[in-house]
Amino acid sequence: MSSYLLFVIIYFIHALRAQNGFVGPLAQVYSPALSNVVSIHKYASVMPYHFFRNISNGTSEPTFGSTSVPNDTSFALVAKADFLVFDQERASGILGSTPSYEFIFAVSTAVHEAPVYVPSQNKLYLSQLAPPPGYLPQLVVDLNRVPPTLSEYLSDPPVYAPNGGTFHNGHIYWGASGGNNSIGGMEQRVGLRTLDPATNKSTTILNNYFGYYFNNVNDLFVHPNGDVWFTDPNYSWFNKLTDTPPQLPTATYRFRPSTGAVTAVEDTLQQPNGIALAPNNRTVYIADSGASSGPISPFLPSLGATFNATGKRTIYAFDLSNDATSLTNKRTFYLSSNRVPDGLKVARNGYVVTATGRGVDVLSERGELLLRVQTNYTVQNFAWAGRNLTELWIVGQGGIARVRWGLQGQELR
């Protein structure tokens, strides 16, 4: 082939790509020193034809990196990366100088949730949900050991199926999502529990709404004034963690432990899931994972949940009133790029972080995807840990991993 003909072919290839708006490569290594970090050019907003991303069928979980882009070979870098950078300018502050992702523990394929870091002990507490139903022990990661160790833990009395958790005033606050007439020789119902990690004693602080069982108590935060805000979707029924079908509509609540008053603050989301408070105490974020749902009937057993990519998988932002009792100005914040948004927290600098499918997304205060951590297992939740709160421990179905980076978590007191 003559050099002139080769020039013409290359020219027309570039011309065709330019006509399509595509400017490659879509992906490239972030820097020579960080081969595990890949940058995405302009959010891959224009891909060369023909590209295609499969829709989840409920058993498989196609990711952004599994998108077929045969006419740009650079896209193969995406699936292999630990970190995907979408915003070059702000990524350096998130990553820090030596970001790392480590798969630390292989665990069962059961749902793992509610990670809570206890600073005084330098330990991370978390839960294992179904399957199998009826599993009572929690798990503890001891960060004082090198390498960290993982062991079972049972409080007194046991807490069945913590699904969300936080640390406040020296105690772990857990959303207990299991309900059964006899678990570990006692009845347990969905509600709120506190755990004193120094004494191993747990206390039920809420277990009903005017006699009705709660559905799930999925995730929560504690406001500085002591009020506990929590979401209540239907996943305990779908996952066979309760022996009664839902009795209440899905909703988000505010609970005041000093008076016992429970107030519904939001009831428009299909499956309210993760919930978090911004560091300025002015904005509340709530995830709607309604794309993962199932049928509910008092006359039928639990039929589980299925995933529909066209369903709700969105994080919403709300303004918190000056007296910290109500929500206004609901607005769409982020449509999940992978599966549904599950665990949800806000970093010290105001960036919003959420578990989405096989990874964790970092979002700006305006809902822009800045960076993604990629995992080889489905993530349910995560928690900052370590002396400087720059370690992110990621828990899910089949794995527990640790990220070391520059993004700090809020100090929970």
Side-chain angles (χ1 to χ4, degrees), residues 38-60:
V38 168
S39 295
I40 307 300
H41 179 65
K42 295 184 70 172
Y43 286 79
S45 55
V46 178
M47 293 182 172
Y49 296 119
H50 172 68
F51 63 87
F52 185 74
R53 178 174 174 177
N54 283 313
I55 296 175
S56 173
N57 59 12
T59 55
S60 65

Side-chain angles (χ1 to χ4, degrees), residues 23 42 49 51 57 63 65 78 90 99 109 119 132 153 196 217-218 230 255 265 299 346 380 392 407:
V23 179
K42 295 184 70 172
Y49 296 119
F51 63 87
N57 59 12
T63 64
V78 175
R90 288 175 280 190
T109 56
Y153 169 83
D196 185 341
V217 184
N218 187 282
F230 64 93
F255 170 60
V265 293
F299 309 108
V346 186
Q380 273 86 46
L392 192 77
L407 190 64

Side-chain angles (χ1 to χ4, degrees), residues 207-230:
N207 67 2
N208 75 95
Y209 183 77
F210 298 101
Y212 291 114
Y213 298 149
F214 286 106
N215 303 321
N216 186 188
V217 184
N218 187 282
D219 202 2
L220 58 91
F221 70 80
V222 181
H223 188 275
N225 68 8
D227 287 358
V228 184
W229 293 64
F230 64 93

Side-chain angles (χ1 to χ4, degrees), residues 13 199 217 340:
I13 289 174
T199 65
V217 184
V340 297

Side-chain angles (χ1 to χ4, degrees), residues 229-262:
W229 293 64
F230 64 93
T231 57
D232 195 40
N234 294 135
Y235 293 115
S236 289
W237 178 243
F238 299 146
N239 293 328
K240 299 180 175 63
L241 290 171
T242 60
D243 56 7
T244 55
Q247 300 180 340
L248 292 166
T250 59
T252 298
Y253 296 87
R254 177 178 56 82
F255 170 60
R256 179 156 291 176
S258 61
T259 66
V262 186

Side-chain angles (χ1 to χ4, degrees), residues 321-343:
S321 61
N322 291 333
D323 63 358
T325 62
S326 60
L327 301 176
T328 58
N329 191 24
K330 174 187 175 183
R331 54 204 181 271
T332 300
F333 180 75
Y334 178 62
L335 175 64
S336 176
S337 62
N338 291 272
R339 200 80 180 178
V340 297
D342 197 337

Side-chain angles (χ1 to χ4, degrees), residues 14 62 199 250 276 316 366 392-393 395:
H14 283 285
T199 65
T250 59
Y316 295 92
R366 294 184 293 275
L392 192 77
W393 284 79
V395 305

